[in-house]
């Protein structure tokens, strides 16, 4: 069992009693506090959060979220086409879409299937209904454009 000296016990008791006396005016009603001397009538002023006056507004920058998703898709396209050893060029983002041109015409269908593998179905919510995150378009000349669908934008929002 731990042994503490008498002086240590007295010191701890005095500190506890002092803490109770200092905090006592905070729990006393105003009419009782009015009769206390000025030096004993000091209360802790509450911050805005405890007074109910604090208001916090969080806002999401949707343009930044969309930009991050497009940049992530570009990285996924790079990795996917490199892994499949398919040559590409002109990988660029424009607003809510990413375009890439496949170098070899003979491997265009294979590249398109790799890109379709990077386009998952929407995961949850009423907006999903079996839709995809990106629309895959083929404007010609071995180019593929992946554009965010409106339902994916709504889900991200």
């Amino acid at each position: 069992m731990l042994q503490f000296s008498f002086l240590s016990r007295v010191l701890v008791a005095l500190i506890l009693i002092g803490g109770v006396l200092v905090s006592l005016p905070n729990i006393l009603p105003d009419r009782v506090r009015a009769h206390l001397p000025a030096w004993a009538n000091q209360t802790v002023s509450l911050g805005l959060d405890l007074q109910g006056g604090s208001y916090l507004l969080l806002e999401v920058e949707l343009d930044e979220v969309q930009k991050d998703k497009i940049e992530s898709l570009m990285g996924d396209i790079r990795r996917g086409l490199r892994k499949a050893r398919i040559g590409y060029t002109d990988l660029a983002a424009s607003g809510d879409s990413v375009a890439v041109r496949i170098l070899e015409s003979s491997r265009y269908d294979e590249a398109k299937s790799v890109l379709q593998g990077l386009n998952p179905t929407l995961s949850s919510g009423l907006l999903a209904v079996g839709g995809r995150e990106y629309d895959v378009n083929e404007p010609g000349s071995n180019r593929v454009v992946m554009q965010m669908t409106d339902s994916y934008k709504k889900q991200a929002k």
Side-chain angles (χ1 to χ4, degrees), residues 11 14-15 19-20 27 43 62 69 76 106 108 132 138 145-146 148:
L11 186 61
L14 288 175
I15 290 173
V20 169
I27 61 170
T43 60
L62 295 174
K69 289 189 180 289
D76 292 343
S106 61
Y108 181 76
R132 296 272 184 179
E138 303 174 47
V145 177
M146 296 180 74
M148 268 190 197

Side-chain angles (χ1 to χ4, degrees), residues 75-102:
D76 292 343
I77 290 172
R78 277 189 196 100
R79 281 187 294 281
L81 292 177
R82 282 184 190 152
K83 185 175 180 182
R85 298 182 192 272
I86 299 172
Y88 66 93
T89 185
D90 300 334
L91 178 62
S94 172
D96 63 348
S97 64
V98 175
V100 63
R101 188 168 65 85
I102 306 304

Side-chain angles (χ1 to χ4, degrees), residues 97-131:
S97 64
V98 175
V100 63
R101 188 168 65 85
I102 306 304
L103 293 176
E104 300 175 43
S105 301
S106 61
R107 300 195 70 191
Y108 181 76
D109 290 332
E110 185 182 352
K112 189 176 170 196
S113 68
V114 167
L115 296 177
Q116 285 288 1
L118 298 174
N119 188 13
T121 58
L122 291 173
S123 58
S124 63
L126 296 174
L127 299 173
V129 192

Side-chain angles (χ1 to χ4, degrees), residues 33-75:
R33 261 194 355 247
H35 298 297
L36 292 176
W39 60 268
N41 197 5
Q42 296 179 0
T43 60
V44 174
S45 57
L46 300 177
L48 286 177
D49 55 343
L50 296 176
Q51 291 179 12
S54 179
Y55 181 74
L56 182 64
L57 175 65
L58 297 177
E59 187 174 326
V60 176
E61 295 180 10
L62 295 174
D63 293 336
E64 289 296 319
V65 170
Q66 182 175 321
K67 181 181 172 187
D68 290 344
K69 289 189 180 289
I70 291 294
E71 288 176 3
S72 175
L73 177 64
M74 286 179 64

